[in-house]
Amino acid sequence: MRNALHAEWTKLRAGGGMVPLLLLAVVLTAAVSAGTAAAVRCPAPGCGEDDVRLSLSGIVVGQAVVAVAAVLTVTGEYATGMIHTTFTAVPRRLTAFTAKAAVLSAAVQAAATLAVLASLLAGRYVLPGNGFTAENGYAPLSLGDGPTLRAAVGSVLYLTLIALLSLGVATTVREGATAIGIVLGLLYLFPVVGQVVHDPDLQRLLQQLSPMSAGLAVQSTTDPDRLPIGPWEGLGVLTAWTGAALLAGGVVLRRRDV
C-alpha cells in the first residue's frame, strides 16, 4: 500500500491538472461566498437569514470544480494509457483504487479547508456591514461557536465526499464527459426537480434523497427543526451515495480487463 500511495501522490503532483483545479475550487468558492455575503441584507432583527450558510454558499459552485478534478484523476489515465502502467506497478487493482481514493481525499480536504476558512473569513468581515450585527441578533462568525464549527467541518467533509463520489462514478464509466455529466446531474438535478414539484411531501422526500440538498444541510445553523433532514443525517445520505459509487467502481474495476 505504501508504494501505491507514493505512486498516486507522485501522479497527483506531476500531472499538472489537479493542483490548479483545486486552487480554482478554493478561489471560486471563496469569491462566490464573499459575493453572496455582500449581496444579502439584514435590515432589522429577525430577518431570518442563516449567516453561516450564507458565508459558505460558494460551495454550491466550487463543488463542480472538485467533481471535475476528481473525475479527471481516473479518466485522464484511461485517455493517456497510463492506466496500464498503474496496474503493472500495482497489480492488485483494489489496492491501487484505495490508494487513489486516499490521496484524492487528502488533497481535497486540504483545499476544502482553505476554501471554508476563506469563506467564513469573508463572511465575518462583510456581513456586519450589511446589518448582520449584534443589534440584529448576529454575533461575529467564529469557529468557537458550536454550530459554526459543525458547519465548517461538515462542509470540508461534504467536498471530500463529492470528490470520492466522482471518483467512483469515473471508475465505473471511464469516460470523462459522461462521468462529469452523471455527477453534476446527481448534484444539481434533484434540487431543480424539487422546485417544479408541487406536492410538499414529494418535495421533502427529494430534498432528503438529494446528495447536494441533504449533504449541505450540515451548513444550517438556524431552525434545525424546520429542515427536511438533520445536518449529520443529511451528510449520511451523501455518504451512502458515495459508498454506492465507490462500491460500483471497485466491482467494475475488478471484473473488466482494464
Side-chain angles (χ1 to χ4, degrees), residues 210-245:
S210 164
M212 183 171 77
S213 298
L216 288 179
V218 77
Q219 294 181 344
S220 298
T221 62
T222 61
D223 298 323
D225 294 337
R226 299 177 61 183
L227 295 173
I229 191 169
W232 292 117
E233 291 84 356
L235 206 61
V237 170
L238 176 58
T239 301
W241 279 96
T242 300

Side-chain angles (χ1 to χ4, degrees), residues 86-172:
T86 296
F87 290 150
T88 299
V90 186
R92 294 184 177 181
R93 296 186 177 189
L94 290 185
T95 299
F97 185 50
T98 302
K100 186 178 291 293
V103 170
L104 176 65
S105 295
V108 172
Q109 281 179 7
T113 300
L114 289 176
V116 166
L117 292 177
S119 296
L120 290 175
L121 185 64
R124 180 180 174 89
Y125 285 102
V126 172
L127 287 174
N130 293 342
F132 290 85
T133 59
E135 291 77 9
N136 287 342
Y138 291 93
L141 294 180
S142 171
L143 292 177
D145 175 61
T148 302
L149 180 60
R150 182 253 296 156
V153 172
S155 295
V156 172
L157 294 175
Y158 175 86
L159 288 175
T160 304
L161 288 169
I162 292 298
L164 292 175
L165 170 67
S166 305
L167 177 70
V169 171
T171 305
T172 303

Side-chain angles (χ1 to χ4, degrees), residues 7-253:
E8 292 299 330
W9 177 244
T10 300
K11 284 188 288 184
L12 183 146
R13 288 184 300 151
M18 172 64 77
V19 173
L21 280 173
L22 290 181
L23 289 176
L24 174 62
V26 172
V27 172
L28 188 60
T29 299
V32 172
S33 296
T36 302
V40 178
R41 299 288 188 271
C42 183
C47 60
E49 297 288 351
D50 187 333
D51 57 340
V52 177
R53 190 158 194 167
L54 282 174
S55 298
L56 295 171
S57 58
I59 286 177
V60 173
V61 179
Q63 66 178 345
V65 182
V66 170
V68 170
V71 165
L72 293 180
T73 61
V74 176
T75 59
E77 288 198 48
Y78 279 100
T80 61
M82 177 65 74
I83 194 69
H84 296 283
T85 304
T86 296
F87 290 150
T88 299
V90 186
R92 294 184 177 181
R93 296 186 177 189
L94 290 185
T95 299
F97 185 50
T98 302
K100 186 178 291 293
V103 170
L104 176 65
S105 295
V108 172
Q109 281 179 7
T113 300
L114 289 176
V116 166
L117 292 177
S119 296
L120 290 175
L121 185 64
R124 180 180 174 89
Y125 285 102
V126 172
L127 287 174
N130 293 342
F132 290 85
T133 59
E135 291 77 9
N136 287 342
Y138 291 93
L141 294 180
S142 171
L143 292 177
D145 175 61
T148 302
L149 180 60
R150 182 253 296 156
V153 172
S155 295
V156 172
L157 294 175
Y158 175 86
L159 288 175
T160 304
L161 288 169
I162 292 298
L164 292 175
L165 170 67
S166 305
L167 177 70
V169 171
T171 305
T172 303
V173 303
R174 293 185 294 178
E175 205 280 316
T178 302
I180 291 170
I182 292 172
V183 173
L184 296 185
L186 283 173
L187 293 178
Y188 297 111
L189 186 59
F190 275 94
V192 171
V193 173
Q195 292 296 319
V196 300
V197 169
H198 299 294
D199 184 346
D201 291 332
L202 183 55
Q203 276 187 343
R204 187 178 182 86
L205 178 62
L206 288 172
Q207 291 175 325
Q208 291 172 337
L209 295 177
S210 164
M212 183 171 77
S213 298
L216 288 179
V218 77
Q219 294 181 344
S220 298
T221 62
T222 61
D223 298 323
D225 294 337
R226 299 177 61 183
L227 295 173
I229 191 169
W232 292 117
E233 291 84 356
L235 206 61
V237 170
L238 176 58
T239 301
W241 279 96
T242 300
L246 290 173
L247 178 61
V251 169
V252 171
L253 190 64

